Structures are given as structure tokens and as C-alpha cells.
Amino acid sequence: MSEKTISWEFAPAPEDSRLAMIAKRYEHFIGGRWTPPSEGKYFQTRNPATARKLSEVAAGSAADIAKAVEAARLAFRGPWGNMPARERGKFLFRIARLMQERSRELAVTETLDGGKPIRESRDIDIPLAANHFFYYAGWADKLDYAFPNRRPRPLGVAGQIIPWNFPLLMAAWKIAPALACGNTVVLKPAETTPLTALKLAEILAEAGLPAGVVNIVTGAGATGAALVEHDDVDKVAFTGSTAVGKVIQKTLAGTGKKCTLELGGKAANIVLEDACIDQAVEGIVNGIYLNQGHVCCAGSRLFVQEPVYEEVLWKLKRRLDTLVVGDPLDKNTDIGAINSREQLTSIRHYLKVGLEEGAAIYQPDCQLPSRGYFCPPTLFTEVAQSFTIAREEIFGPVLAVQTFRTLSEVIEKANNTPYGLSAGVWCDKGARLFQVTDALDAGVVWGNSYNNFDPTSPFGGCKESGFGREGGLHGLAAYLDI
Ligand code: NAI
Ligand code: MG
């Protein structure tokens, strides 16, 4: 096979950044009003593709959190708690439609604030976020059918803390089921990507959602901690790092508050010898490189059965050579900007450790933009199970490749991790596919596909990847007393 790859240069096709219509400054959204921070402090959110400031947002203190929780409690006791379920559902439908109407603005904002390629925010994040509202809107007046003979009741005020990798989608995952079940919400977006949640606040107001049903308080870790620690929060839902998840679990122990945690992962993507290799290579690329590997369920460990190892590796490298890294706003871009300078520093640290431990590195020859935070797609071979890059979550476009001979060997290797969020298996024969998927300790296992999401399907992990499910019927249970 020849080493030469034929590739074509695409003419630039950038989306217009002005479509984002980002304000110079945003306040908290509390009790239906834009509320200045009690301590008068603001912080910047930047565009990681240029490192330039986009806007400034309010820095939330414990006093701001207290105000937001109080507003949420009032709404729960009042208009929202007393509203017939079918009326609640109508609000969710309205929110979903307004998100669709503003989808282009939301997609451009998401890409500017977080650095992900516009193709992803346009085709995945925003439509899926709207779909979550549509899906849960339908459940609002059917909870008795979802849980027959259980008389499901809302929990009360939900405190929700979300990360920066899917900002609007995570907000929708958390808010839509909470509202469908009759709860009220205080949401704390991630500090590097607060803007789409604040635009969602505008949408909630436009939809006429009663004041206080959803409150959005921006800030960093301390703001999130104040929300977790507040006495009048009935349920905490968190997505983010395993380290913070453990802190939250300690804080909540013995308080009687309910909790769901969706934490890190180190997913195995397994290619068996009879797999369709071209399809598997696309799935591997989709699993770890698109969205810069900023995905908790990213397929960051690749296991290839020995007979097809050379072929998979050759095709994967050629495919890496064609990936377009650069301006996230360009519709041709496959790999956008790393979300923050801190995250890039952390990824670079892992690249160094991988080399020090003796792995072989492959990176295509790509010209990275001179400004902003970028990392080329990276592949490590000659990796041992004990290497740091095969054990720790890197959260970047970095793949660690290993080989295996037998199914029992790969099952043991794949499960040999403290995480258990997701996995993928590529195989032509259904019976073998299910043999492997059944044996994997992971909340989600994809067969001959990767990173597929649907509002009707539950998502969540086991082991140190957390507990509780989001999406589907299971996602309702997390917001109900049944
Ligand atoms: P993080 O876990 O610190 O941040 C996630 C959210 O939690 C943010 O909104 C943050 O403000 C909030 N937070 C931070 N400390 C808190 C505390 N003590 N109490 C309550 N809320 C708190 O994640 P970070 O630092 O942004 O990323 C570090 C690593 O975490 C990444 O490299 C990646 O490995 C992992 N991560 C996993 C995610 C997932 O989807 N499972 C998402 C983001 C990061
Ligand atoms: Mg930002």
C-alpha cells in the first residue's frame, strides 16, 4: 500500500461570528430577572480559538446562590408546583421550538465560546438539546404511565452543575427532565462556556416560563460548591471530573439530598478481526478526534485484534492526515480549539508522559493556527496497559492503541480501569458482538457505531464514572420520588 494520501484543500467557509449576537456583559438569571452579582464581580469568557475576550459574566457568590435557591423554592411552592402537568409540558414544547428558531445563533455562540467545530454545534449540540426538550415535553403529563402505581412526585429544587464540553446540551439534559417532572432548577454552567446557558435564559423568559422555575448563576468551582452545600436544595445533578464528583458525594453524604453524578471515562473501542475496517476507522475518528476528544465517553483506548492491526493502523493514520484542524467557525473544520489554556497544558503534559513511558507517537503534519489553543490529532502505539496514557482520562484528541489476540484477553483489558462509562465494539457477527458487549463493565456500549445519542436512550456510567441515568425513562426517575 502506498504511503501517499491524496487530499484536497477546501476553500475557507467560515460561519459569520456576528450571528452570535453576544452582549458585552451578562448578569445572573434569578427569579425571572437579570440580577447583578451581590459582590459586584465579573469574569471573562474567552474564545479559545483566538484567546480573545468574548464577554464578561457575573461571578456568583454564596449569596447569589441563596437568592436563586429561594426563587426556585417559591416557584416550586407556587405557580410551577400547582400547574397541571399538561400545561408544564406546553412550556417545554415552546422552549424547544424557540431553541430551533434561534439554532444558528446558538450554534455560533457555542463554537465561539467553547472552541468546538461549527459542524458539531450545528448538527449535534443544538438539535439534540432541542430534542431533549421535545422528548421530555411529551412525558410531563404521562408520569403515571411511566411509573404505574407509584404516584411519582417531584423532588423540589434541583441544583445542577454542568461542564464545558457540551454546554447547551448538558443544560438541556439536566433542565428538561427536571421541569417535566415538576421540579424547579438552579443551574451553574461551566466558567469557560456560560454563554449558551445565558441565551437559554433569554429563551425561557421569551417562552413565558414562570419566574424562578429555572435560575442560572454563573461562576467557577466555588459557586458550584455553594450550590451543593445549600440546605434547601433537594437534589444535586453533576457532570464533570471524577475528582469534583467525589468531593460532591462527600459533601452530600448523610444530608438526605438525592444525587446523580456523570463523571469521567476511559472508554475502550474494540475492533475484532472480522469488522468492516473502513467503517471502524470512521468510528474511531468520530470517537476520539472530533470535538477534540472533549467527550466523557470518548473512545480513548483502541484495542485491535492482531490479524487486522497493520491494516487498521495504516488506514487510521491516512485518515488522520486528512483531518482539518483549525478555525472552529469554518464548516470544513474537523478538530477545533481546545477549550482552555489549562486543558491544553494538561493534554500536553500527557503527550510528554506518553513519550517518557516509551510509547511511539504519530501526529499528522498539520499547520496549527498561530493564536488560540490547538492540539493535533495524536495516536500512541506500543502502549502497555500500565501506561498513564492508557489509564488516565486525557480529555483531548489523543488515542492509545493496544492489540489483543482473544476475546477474553480484550474483555479483561477493557475492564481493567476504574472507569465504566462507555465502550464500542466493531464486529461483523452479531453473536460475537453481543458476547463482548455483555461482558464490558460500561453504562453505554455501542455496536458498530460510536458516540450516538438520542433523548430516548438512557446514558450514564458505573464504577468511578458515576451513577444515575440521564435520558429516556430512566432520566425521569432521577427527578422523581417514586
Ligand atoms: P470540573 O469537574 O472542575 O468542572 C465541571 C463543573 O464543576 C464546572 O461547572 C465547575 O465550575 C464545577 N466545579 C468545579 N469544582 C467544583 C466544586 N468543588 N463543587 C461544585 N462544582 C464544582 O472539570 P474541569 O476542571 O473543567 O476539567 C478537568 C478534567 O475533568 C478534564 O480534563 C476532564 O478529564 C474532566 N471532565 C469531565 C467531563 C465529563 O463530561 N465527564 C467534563 C469536563 C471535564
Ligand atoms: Mg469561553
Side-chain angles (χ1 to χ4, degrees), residues 337-358:
I338 301 301
N339 184 266
S340 64
R341 183 193 294 280
E342 292 72 27
Q343 190 60 26
L344 182 59
T345 306
S346 160
I347 295 169
R348 285 185 175 153
H349 161 76
Y350 281 110
L351 297 185
K352 197 165 138 267
V353 169
L355 286 171
E356 282 166 5
E357 288 181 331

Side-chain angles (χ1 to χ4, degrees), residues 378-399:
T378 304
L379 192 150
F380 277 115
T381 53
E382 326 223 344
V383 174
Q385 190 73 353
S386 58
F387 285 11
T388 309
I389 52 167
R391 289 186 290 110
E392 295 183 10
E393 182 174 52
I394 301 175
F395 231 64
V398 183
L399 180 65

Side-chain angles (χ1 to χ4, degrees), residues 397-477:
V398 183
L399 180 65
V401 190
Q402 293 175 261
T403 59
F404 67 94
R405 290 184 181 169
T406 65
L407 293 191
S408 56
E409 178 191 350
V410 75
I411 289 165
E412 194 187 318
K413 281 181 167 170
N415 286 339
N416 186 4
T417 163
Y419 294 113
L421 189 55
S422 61
V425 183
W426 301 83
C427 171
D428 189 46
K429 193 159 181 272
R432 283 175 86 208
L433 190 116
F434 283 114
Q435 189 188 344
V436 182
T437 55
D438 280 353
L440 294 174
D441 300 331
V444 182
V445 187
W446 286 287
N448 292 325
S449 82
Y450 208 92
N451 274 350
N452 266 325
F453 292 96
D454 190 284
T456 64
S457 169
F459 181 87
C462 51
K463 303 202 282 188
E464 289 195 15
S465 292
F467 47 80
R469 293 292 177 265
E470 294 183 305
L473 202 82
H474 302 66
L476 291 169

Side-chain angles (χ1 to χ4, degrees), residues 76 143-144 147-156 177-178 181-183 234-235 256 258 474-482:
F76 181 67
L143 299 176
D144 288 331
F147 305 100
N149 307 318
R150 304 293 283 276
R151 294 178 46 80
R153 305 197 106 35
L155 298 173
C181 295
N183 303 278
D234 300 296
K235 191 236 154 83
K258 299 226 175 190
H474 302 66
L476 291 169
Y479 287 96
L480 288 170
D481 177 358
I482 44 176

